[in-house]
């Protein structure tokens, strides 16, 4: 069973607009969430994270929102740039520790000029 | 330069022929892990290691072995590869000390095809 789900396999956005990537989870034992970005032929790289005690974390153009009651998080990219085109994975950490991060299925973002 | 290095990057092999994918990190990280990426399934954890001589199963360990004899190396062994192990494999590491952001450092990936 997929504990972390990204229901949109792909998303297309125009440069300068907002990109919103969504992630849903089922396990209420998750207490920390991360977003990774992956370019082709490269490994994923860490982007931004949020603890379950917060509902928002911001880093430059990237903001992650967490809605614990809905078991939903989202990544907002404003403004979107062509260099943001990549696959984005959300990941969740169980409160037992980081040993077993659970990743979502990924969303491919395409930002067109 | 801090990095996680995997080899080979690409490999085509045949069913049953043992192979090893090496992983080495130069960041003195205690924790290392292997993931496989498959379409529609995202990244799934195969095995992880909290330190030298300490390994444990992830979510999809069947058909794989690992060892952690040295801190920097964490090879993934496929004793008898099968076509369902055709996948993109990633090794990752992180420190367990200091701020626990959970940030994993990934290698560039190894694309394995089993015929």
């Amino acid at each position: 069973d997929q504990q972390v789900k990204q229901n949109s396999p792909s998303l297309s956005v125009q440069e300068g607009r907002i990109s919103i990537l969504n992630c849903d989870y089922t396990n209420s034992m998750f207490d920390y969430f991360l977003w990774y970005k992956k370019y082709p032929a490269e490994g994923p790289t860490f982007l931004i994270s949020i603890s379950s005690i917060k509902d928002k974390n911001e880093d430059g153009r990237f903001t992650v929102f967490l809605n614990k009651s809905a078991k939903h998080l989202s990544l907002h990219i404003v403004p979107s740039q062509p260099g943001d085109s990549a696959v984005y994975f959300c990941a969740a950490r169980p409160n037992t520790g980081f040993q077993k991060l659970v990743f979502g299925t990924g969303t491919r973002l395409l930002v067109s000029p | 330069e801090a990095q996680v290095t995997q080899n080979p990057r690409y490999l085509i092999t045949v069913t049953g022929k043992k192979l090893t994918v090496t992983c080495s990190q130069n960041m003195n990280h205690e924790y290392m892990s292997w993931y496989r990426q498959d379409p529609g399934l995202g990244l799934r954890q195969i095995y992880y290691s909290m330190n030298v001589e300490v390994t444990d199963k992830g979510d999809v360990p069947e058909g794989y072995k690992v060892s952690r004899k040295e801190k920097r190396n964490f090879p993934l062994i496929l004793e008898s590869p099968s076509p369902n192990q055709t996948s993109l494999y990633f090794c990752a590491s992180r420190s367990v000390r200091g701020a626990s952001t959970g940030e994993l450092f990934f290698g560039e990936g190894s694309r394995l095809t089993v015929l």
Side-chain angles (χ1 to χ4, degrees):
Chain A
D1 65 329
Q2 195 75 30
Q3 298 184 67
V4 179
K5 299 179 184 179
Q6 295 175 254
N7 291 317
S8 297
S10 63
L11 175 67
S12 292
V13 171
Q14 280 197 313
E15 181 178 7
R17 301 285 187 112
I18 183 172
S19 295
I20 300 176
L21 295 91
N22 295 304
C23 180
D24 297 294
Y25 61 97
T26 58
N27 191 339
S28 57
M29 305 299 279
F30 292 142
D31 67 353
Y32 201 86
F33 303 89
L34 307 93
W35 284 93
Y36 284 80
K37 178 167 72 173
K38 183 185 177 306
Y39 292 119
E42 295 183 13
T45 54
F46 171 74
L47 188 58
I48 192 170
S49 62
I50 187 168
S51 165
S52 60
I53 62 173
K54 296 185 176 181
D55 54 16
K56 176 182 175 181
N57 188 27
E58 195 170 353
D59 184 2
R61 297 186 296 114
F62 302 92
T63 303
V64 56
F65 294 93
L66 176 62
N67 183 333
K68 280 183 63 178
S69 60
K71 293 190 175 68
H72 176 84
L73 64 154
S74 60
L75 174 68
H76 293 212
I77 306 174
V78 184
S80 301
Q81 300 174 353
D84 296 329
S85 298
V87 176
Y88 290 79
F89 292 99
C90 66
R93 178 193 84 171
N95 58 11
T96 50
F98 282 110
Q99 298 91 308
K100 302 186 82 170
L101 270 183
V102 181
F103 283 83
T105 51
T107 296
R108 183 177 302 276
L109 173 66
L110 177 62
V111 181
S112 53
Chain B
E1 180 189 353
Q3 58 185 7
V4 179
T5 304
Q6 298 179 222
N7 280 296
R9 293 289 312 278
Y10 302 91
L11 180 64
I12 300 174
T13 189
V14 295
T15 299
K17 185 176 182 182
K18 180 180 178 179
L19 69 92
T20 299
V21 185
T22 64
C23 175
S24 181
Q25 50 92 5
N26 63 1
M27 295 169 279
N28 202 34
H29 286 167
E30 296 82 8
Y31 175 93
M32 298 184 74
S33 183
W34 276 102
Y35 289 85
R36 59 179 288 175
Q37 182 189 353
D38 301 289
L41 297 175
L43 290 160
R44 295 180 294 166
Q45 190 180 46
I46 304 171
Y47 269 95
Y48 67 93
S49 168
M50 294 297 290
N51 214 323
V52 175
E53 302 292 1
V54 181
T55 63
D56 207 345
K57 296 178 181 178
D59 297 316
V60 288
E62 297 79 17
Y64 304 95
K65 285 175 59 177
V66 291
S67 69
R68 189 90 183 274
K69 293 184 170 55
E70 303 165 285
K71 197 172 186 179
R72 63 184 293 126
N73 296 323
F74 190 43
L76 179 70
I77 303 155
L78 286 74
E79 293 271 3
S80 182
S82 62
N84 64 11
Q85 293 178 297
T86 293
S87 187
L88 179 58
Y89 291 87
F90 289 101
C91 180
S93 73
R94 70 170 178 88
S95 174
V96 300
R97 303 174 189 175
S100 57
T101 62
E103 178 182 353
L104 281 171
F105 293 84
F106 283 86
E108 293 185 309
S110 296
R111 184 167 291 283
L112 172 64
T113 301
V114 184
L115 302 176

